[in-house]
Amino acid sequence: MLYNIAKPFIFALEAERAHGLTIAGLKTVPMGPAPKSNPVLATTLAGLNFPNPIGMAPGFDKNGEVPDALIRMGFGFAEVGTLTPLMQEGNPKPRIFRLVEDKAVINRLGFNNRGQQNAIPRLKRMRARMGKGVLGINIGANKDSDDRIADYVTGTRNMAPLADYLTVNISSPNTPGLRALQDKGALAELLAAVIDALGKSKTPVFLKVAPDLEPADIDDIVDVAVSQKIAALIISNTTITRPALHSANQSESGGLSGAPLKDLALQRLKDFRKASGGQIPLIGVGGIATAEDAYERIRAGASLVQLYTAMIYEGPTIAAAMSCQLAKLLKRDGYKNVAEAIGSA
């Protein structure tokens, strides 16, 4: 209710400024301990124990400033980033656009962040403050890099020691040429280099892919991910396609997220579930705004889910509220835990 009162004032601000103030607020406002999750929500993936399957997607906390606050808001895990080896400003502003009528956002940020070396000491402190929450770190390549695979190798060496899991992000539409790394040959070379860079580290590696894929692309990605023993696939990032939209901002370029992405992201999850035959865990992202949405992804094959845009429209209590309702849905249908529901549809 308080968020509904404040939302008109927040939405009166330019979107990126509002986001910056939100991060600043989470850094300074005292917060209590993380709410206790219902035991039915506890789940395990890649040897990691998640108190609940609802996570914050990367993009919200690009510099790893508030993962502890996100856990205290009720998220079972928080993925920070995308972090690149070197600091970069990203694309020119304005570069975030609310599509209020569609409950959506278009962004063309371009991996703006202060760089991995800036984040390392802060994330070392954060680890001790996250309690049972799981910390994911999302890594990418600098826009002007001459060797993008080398950037992912650097990111692996820098960030794997601090992460519960590491996400290789090759799915952003806002770094020219990045999605070409989803091609089979390039992907095999990239993931082999990342796995080699891990050395003796046991940090699980996840791969984040785009929703804008052809069936052959999906088969190739699954083949490479399985052969390289990738721990999970994150399905998916923002889309460059444009379903029917109503907002005046619909023509802005960039990646579309939020409610209009729901059907496409769900279908891609189903496609990857079918292509993999359950050989590799999946994480569902895109257009998830309610417990029912999360439950639908889980029953379609997702072990975990992530959201971001929905919090812009529904407020900071969304994770806690979704967890509560998701537990009720699982119990209603006779499931003892999340694992029993995965892929049940």
Side-chain angles (χ1 to χ4, degrees):
M1 186 172 64
L2 289 174
Y3 185 72
N4 287 336
I5 294 170
K7 189 158 68 170
F9 300 97
I10 296 171
F11 277 36
L13 297 172
E14 188 273 329
E16 191 162 355
R17 174 169 169 74
H19 179 263
L21 291 173
T22 300
I23 295 291
L26 290 175
K27 289 168 66 175
T28 56
V29 174
M31 300 183 71
K36 291 184 178 180
S37 292
N38 190 309
V40 75
L41 296 175
T43 189
T44 301
L45 189 153
L48 302 173
N49 297 317
F50 296 79
N52 72 64
I54 299 169
M56 172 56 79
F60 176 79
D61 187 8
K62 284 183 171 290
N63 292 297
E65 298 175 274
V66 292
D68 56 330
L70 292 169
I71 298 303
R72 290 184 173 91
M73 289 162 59
F75 287 95
F77 62 110
E79 186 173 323
V80 302
T82 298
L83 288 162
T84 55
L86 302 177
M87 176 182 176
Q88 63 181 23
E89 294 294 330
N91 294 321
K93 298 179 182 179
R95 52 195 181 177
I96 305 178
F97 306 90
R98 302 185 191 96
L99 283 69
V100 177
E101 296 85 352
D102 303 292
K103 289 195 171 182
V105 167
I106 291 174
N107 92 80
R108 49 175 181 262
L109 287 161
F111 286 172
N112 57 308
N113 72 107
R114 295 198 289 271
Q116 291 164 6
Q117 293 301 323
N118 176 274
I120 287 171
R122 183 167 52 254
L123 288 173
K124 286 180 178 178
R125 296 192 301 270
M126 290 292 171
R127 288 291 310 234
R129 293 158 52 179
M130 289 188 63
K132 294 182 179 179
V134 173
L135 174 65
I137 301 179
N138 185 298
I139 60 170
N142 283 108
K143 181 178 180 179
D144 59 356
S145 174
D146 293 327
D147 186 343
R148 287 183 171 167
I149 290 178
D151 276 17
Y152 284 98
V153 167
T154 298
T156 300
R157 291 173 176 160
N158 284 341
M159 309 315 298
L162 299 173
D164 289 314
Y165 70 84
L166 192 72
T167 296
V168 174
N169 183 2
I170 54 172
S171 59
S172 171
N174 299 315
T175 298
L178 187 74
R179 289 187 172 188
L181 290 171
Q182 295 175 136
D183 295 341
K184 190 171 187 178
L187 181 60
E189 183 181 358
L190 168 65
L191 294 183
V194 166
I195 297 301
D196 183 65
L198 281 173
K200 296 181 179 179
S201 171
K202 296 182 179 180
T203 305
V205 175
F206 297 174
L207 176 67
K208 186 178 180 78
V209 299
D212 310 315
L213 297 168
E214 298 298 327
D217 299 328
I218 294 170
D219 291 336
D220 287 346
I221 289 169
V222 168
D223 287 347
V224 174
V226 170
S227 67
Q228 294 293 337
K229 296 182 172 59
I230 296 303
L233 292 173
I234 301 178
I235 319 294
S236 57
N237 207 321
T238 58
T239 180
I240 57 174
T241 64
R242 292 293 183 267
L245 298 170
H246 302 93
S247 170
N249 286 327
Q250 62 180 278
S251 60
E252 294 291 344
S253 63
L256 173 71
S257 62
L261 178 57
K262 176 181 174 179
D263 290 345
L264 176 60
L266 174 60
Q267 184 58 53
R268 285 297 167 269
L269 179 71
K270 292 177 178 179
D271 293 341
F272 272 94
R273 177 73 173 184
K274 181 179 180 180
S276 67
Q279 292 182 79
I280 186 167
L282 306 176
I283 299 170
V285 196
I288 295 172
T290 67
E292 288 77 13
D293 294 337
Y295 190 41
E296 184 177 35
R297 297 301 165 93
I298 290 167
R299 296 188 68 240
S303 298
L304 305 167
V305 299
Q306 292 178 313
L307 61 87
Y308 171 9
T309 301
M311 191 172 77
I312 296 171
Y313 290 99
E314 304 302 328
T317 61
I318 187 171
M322 284 178 61
S323 292
C324 182
Q325 183 61 23
L326 179 59
K328 293 178 181 178
L329 293 172
L330 290 164
K331 289 183 176 180
R332 180 197 69 187
D333 292 344
Y335 296 115
K336 296 178 181 178
N337 52 52
V338 173
E340 289 186 355
I342 296 170
S344 61

